[in-house]
Amino acid sequence: PMPQDSNLDDDFNNYDIIAVASSSYAKKLNDNGIKAIYIPQYTNPKKFYPNPKDEFKHDILFVGSNWHDRTSLRYAIESGFDVAVYGYNWQDYVPDEMYKAPYIANTELNQYYSSAKIVLNDHRPDMKEKGFINNRIYDVTATGTMVISDYMPEIEEAYGDSIPMYKNKEELISLVKYYLDDKNQEERKDKARRAREITLKNFTSDKAATTIHEIIKSL
């Protein structure tokens, strides 16, 4: 759960413990007298794994709906990159040749991710402010593809330099150009491989289930 600060009241004290997908926000809850534990979001490696298909190949892929400012896509389009865009409410906002479809079935999403060279990612402002890493980070890395994301210290702490991140348009332009350059393909693949290893070790459904089970036993 990600409650607003105004909701830090007796309602949350009705629970023995609250699982929160942000370590900093879990600390804030505990500081407010609400017992919380950090359990990060996760991926299911049985659904998200390398499974590339020629028909889904794209240099740059963006999957997400137009419900807030998607800086990764906006910066990329403004900079002249050719991005394959999938998601709702983009028809009037991206060039027709870039807009592919409003929806990708969850059963096929791993094929799209693992067929791309780079997947762009950004976070909702409230998630970013409170330290919640979105699921796209875990799902994309599990497929063995590089994800370029907006900067979050929580991602850096978990993944080191295996996930390139930008703080502004200039940095995103530099990263995309660098990792699309043929001479840097091996570096891109190496970072994607290292990110996948971290995800499979720390951010899977089995890992989360084990942690939840241990918490329940301790209550």
Side-chain angles (χ1 to χ4, degrees), residues 189-200:
K189 292 176 181 179
D190 179 66
K191 285 182 181 288
R193 177 189 56 77
R194 289 193 284 118
R196 183 170 189 263
E197 290 175 353
I198 292 169
T199 294
L200 296 183

Side-chain angles (χ1 to χ4, degrees), residues 13 16 19 29 67 90 96 103 106 209:
N13 289 314
D16 293 317
L29 290 173
W67 307 133
W90 287 115
D96 291 342
Y103 175 75
N106 190 259

Side-chain angles (χ1 to χ4, degrees), residues 1-210:
M2 190 168 60
Q4 299 298 315
D5 292 351
S6 60
N7 290 332
L8 298 179
D9 54 26
D10 292 341
D11 287 346
F12 295 103
N13 289 314
N14 293 329
Y15 300 94
D16 293 317
I17 196 165
I18 296 175
V20 184
S22 163
S23 58
S24 60
Y25 203 61
K27 181 180 184 303
K28 184 171 185 177
L29 290 173
N30 281 293
D31 290 344
N32 280 270
I34 298 167
K35 190 174 182 182
I37 188 167
Y38 167 56
I39 300 181
Q41 295 195 67
Y42 51 83
T43 190
N44 182 350
K46 294 179 181 178
K47 290 184 177 181
F48 290 95
Y49 53 88
N51 188 21
K53 303 290 184 182
D54 286 341
E55 60 265 36
F56 300 142
K57 281 186 176 179
H58 300 293
D59 281 353
I60 310 171
L61 173 66
F62 178 89
V63 181
S65 297
N66 183 22
W67 307 133
H68 61 88
D69 183 21
R70 310 310 298 258
T71 57
S72 64
L73 179 59
R74 178 165 63 85
Y75 291 165
I77 291 178
E78 289 175 354
S79 305
F81 291 114
D82 183 13
V83 184
V85 179
Y86 294 82
Y88 290 107
N89 200 32
W90 287 115
Q91 293 89 330
D92 298 327
Y93 297 93
V94 302
D96 291 342
E97 62 273 17
M98 293 188 190
Y99 184 68
K100 304 302 181 183
Y103 175 75
I104 298 176
N106 190 259
T107 54
E108 298 180 351
L109 191 51
N110 73 316
Q111 298 175 30
Y112 283 81
Y113 283 160
S114 58
S115 300
K117 291 182 179 179
I118 293 171
V119 176
L120 299 178
N121 180 68
D122 48 52
H123 290 78
R124 287 199 335 246
D126 56 342
M127 293 181 69
K128 190 170 182 176
E129 177 188 356
K130 293 179 170 63
F132 287 78
I133 300 174
N134 65 24
N135 244 83
R136 190 173 293 102
I137 290 291
Y138 307 121
D139 293 342
V140 175
T141 55
T143 67
T145 292
M146 169 173 281
V147 56
I148 294 179
S149 183
D150 50 349
Y151 178 78
M152 287 181 64
E154 293 82 4
I155 297 176
E156 187 173 48
E157 181 179 352
Y159 286 92
D161 67 350
S162 65
I163 294 181
M165 291 182 284
Y166 64 90
K167 294 181 180 178
N168 52 51
K169 183 194 293 189
E170 290 70 26
E171 289 185 358
L172 180 129
I173 293 171
S174 178
L175 289 170
V176 172
K177 284 183 176 179
Y178 183 84
Y179 288 110
L180 285 183
D181 193 316
D182 287 344
K183 68 175 179 287
N184 299 318
Q185 282 194 42
E186 290 307 312
E187 182 179 348
R188 171 172 55 80
K189 292 176 181 179
D190 179 66
K191 285 182 181 288
R193 177 189 56 77
R194 289 193 284 118
R196 183 170 189 263
E197 290 175 353
I198 292 169
T199 294
L200 296 183
K201 180 180 179 181
N202 299 317
F203 304 110
T204 66
S205 48
D206 284 348
K207 179 81 172 181
T210 299

